[in-house]
Amino acid sequence: MKCRQCDQKASIHMRQHKLALCKEHYLEWIPEQTARFIKKYGMFTPNEKILVAVSGGKDSLSLWDILVRLGYQADGLYLGLGIDAGINYSHESQRLAQKFADENNLKLHVVDVEKEYGHSIPALSEISHRGHGRPCAVCGLAKRHEMNRIARDFGYDVLATGHNLDDEAAVLFGNTLKWSSEYILRQSPVLPSADGLARKVKPLCRFYEREMTAYAIMRGIEYIYDECPFADGSQSIFYKEALNQLETARSGAKLIFYLSFLEAKKSGHLFVEKNVGQSQLHSCPTCGQPTSTPDFCSFCRMIQKAAETPDQ
Ligand code: SF4
Ligand code: ZN
């Protein structure tokens, strides 16, 4: 198969777009499309300062690479979660995030949760759940809190994450199976800033995971191949596999599912939004971040509890 733009042999065929491109044109197409999505969803302007949450994986490093290539002022934030689980996941992912920053002369903020708060994510999870279940709830809480804190403290206008279409479709699929209307309505390529919370954007939300893998490889970006060890067997992987089966039978199924959702949401045909009341927010007395829980925010409460728990 040949590239649509030139006579070269195509390096990637995107069946859902009926589009095949050679390496050179693919590496142009991805940033062009990203720029289009940034504009279409009103994510940010060229003058705004962007903080990219980088995990050392292909999506977040590619996102950083694309934004820099498009001329945006984008710094990175790496959160050290203290996840080892035999493969030294956190150590290796930090090394690759730092390597990318150094090679491209970019600024990377590094926050080590254990150094900052005295406990790693698995340890915090152990304390708050007494060892039951995965650390993902604690991890998600800590990531949201720390990303927002760094964005606020260093004056970033917007926080960008590398969620791709497979991630977004899996979240939507899971929430749809449970009809979690509040979560469904909140899902969006852009979450506007509110009450001390930074604006959050997902510029890669319309790219398939395989498209991002291809981009990272063609750009020669070195990234961590392993998923976090705690992702294994998770619900989101189960939903991704189910959607992959749909995609195999009907190419474009994932994209249609996600884009039709965005359309329905935009047209107001999804749910009656007024039934989903915004909870009242106030500032946490410890960290100053907005929270709907009485007194301290959930993150500060977790840290307080961990500090009061004697070491085992
Ligand atoms: Fe955190 Fe790993 Fe769970 Fe992802 S899979 S939320 S990185 S613990
Ligand atoms: Zn707090």
Side-chain angles (χ1 to χ4, degrees):
M1 191 168 295
K2 286 193 173 168
C3 170
R4 184 193 277 182
Q5 313 266 349
C6 67
D7 258 354
Q8 299 286 319
K9 188 172 167 282
S11 295
I12 185 162
H13 179 206
M14 292 166 284
R15 280 167 64 206
Q16 74 284 2
H17 297 311
K18 297 189 177 56
L19 178 64
L21 292 171
C22 69
K23 177 177 169 183
E24 187 193 334
H25 286 113
Y26 185 66
L27 290 179
E28 280 174 14
W29 182 80
I30 289 277
E32 278 165 16
Q33 292 296 306
T34 311
R36 191 166 78 79
F37 304 150
I38 291 169
K39 199 164 166 214
K40 180 176 171 64
Y41 299 112
M43 293 187 180
F44 40 79
T45 62
N47 299 328
E48 291 186 298
K49 270 179 71 186
I50 305 159
L51 183 64
V52 184
V54 286
S55 65
K58 64 183 183 317
D59 302 299
S60 55
L61 289 179
S62 295
L63 172 61
W64 202 5
D65 181 71
I66 294 165
L67 294 180
V68 171
R69 285 181 70 200
L70 288 171
Y72 288 104
Q73 313 167 54
D75 295 342
L77 166 63
Y78 176 85
L79 294 178
L81 308 170
I83 295 174
D84 181 351
I87 60 164
N88 233 341
Y89 174 77
S90 284
H91 182 266
E92 183 60 5
S93 56
Q94 181 174 351
R95 184 184 75 77
L96 293 169
Q98 192 64 59
K99 181 171 183 275
F100 180 86
D102 293 345
E103 283 174 0
N104 294 280
N105 259 324
L106 300 169
K107 182 176 170 63
L108 178 70
H109 299 270
V110 176
V111 174
D112 187 311
V113 173
E114 187 165 4
K115 277 192 200 136
E116 200 79 28
Y117 298 102
H119 302 272
S120 67
I121 293 296
L124 280 171
S125 174
E126 189 88 8
I127 294 164
S128 36
H129 295 123
R130 298 186 180 82
H132 298 302
R134 297 166 187 277
C136 298
V138 166
C139 183
L141 177 65
K143 280 181 188 165
R144 284 192 296 277
H145 188 274
E146 291 303 283
M147 291 193 291
N148 203 57
R149 178 173 72 86
I150 299 294
R152 178 195 67 187
D153 290 357
F154 290 86
Y156 290 97
D157 301 293
V158 54
L159 194 57
T161 55
H163 294 93
N164 60 39
L165 176 67
D166 292 49
D167 300 322
E168 291 301 291
V171 168
L172 180 60
F173 190 45
N175 286 335
T176 305
L177 288 180
K178 291 177 250 161
W179 287 116
S180 310
S181 53
E182 202 169 333
Y183 288 116
I184 294 174
L185 277 173
R186 219 182 288 156
Q187 188 174 356
S188 170
V190 181
L191 287 178
S193 59
D195 295 321
L197 289 170
R199 188 187 330 145
K200 292 200 184 94
V201 300
K202 298 168 185 169
L204 307 182
C205 64
R206 290 177 57 160
F207 292 119
Y208 280 74
E209 176 159 9
R210 70 178 277 268
E211 292 167 1
M212 293 325 298
T213 306
Y215 179 85
I217 292 171
M218 288 187 208
R219 283 285 289 163
I221 296 171
E222 203 185 333
Y223 63 89
I224 185 156
Y225 292 102
D226 294 308
E227 292 264 3
C228 169
F230 294 112
D232 205 23
S234 66
Q235 278 208 335
S236 87
I237 293 214
F238 172 70
Y239 295 142
K240 279 183 182 176
E241 284 168 359
L243 288 167
N244 282 341
Q245 289 189 18
L246 284 177
E247 185 73 30
T248 307
R250 292 267 185 284
S251 62
K254 270 185 241 184
L255 190 61
I256 291 168
F257 178 52
Y258 182 62
L259 292 185
S260 309
F261 156 70
L262 292 184
E263 272 306 310
K265 194 174 151 175
K266 198 170 141 202
S267 63
H269 290 158
L270 211 52
F271 295 101
V272 183
E273 296 215 21
K274 66 177 180 328
N275 288 345
V276 187
Q278 277 276 331
S279 40
Q280 285 296 315
L281 299 179
H282 68 93
S283 288
C284 164
T286 309
C287 69
Q289 292 205 28
T291 175
S292 58
T293 52
D295 298 331
F296 304 99
C297 75
S298 314
F299 180 80
C300 290
R301 253 196 271 175
M302 173 176 75
I303 297 297
Q304 243 165 351
K305 185 175 171 192
E308 288 159 8
T309 307
D311 288 343
Q312 282 119 14

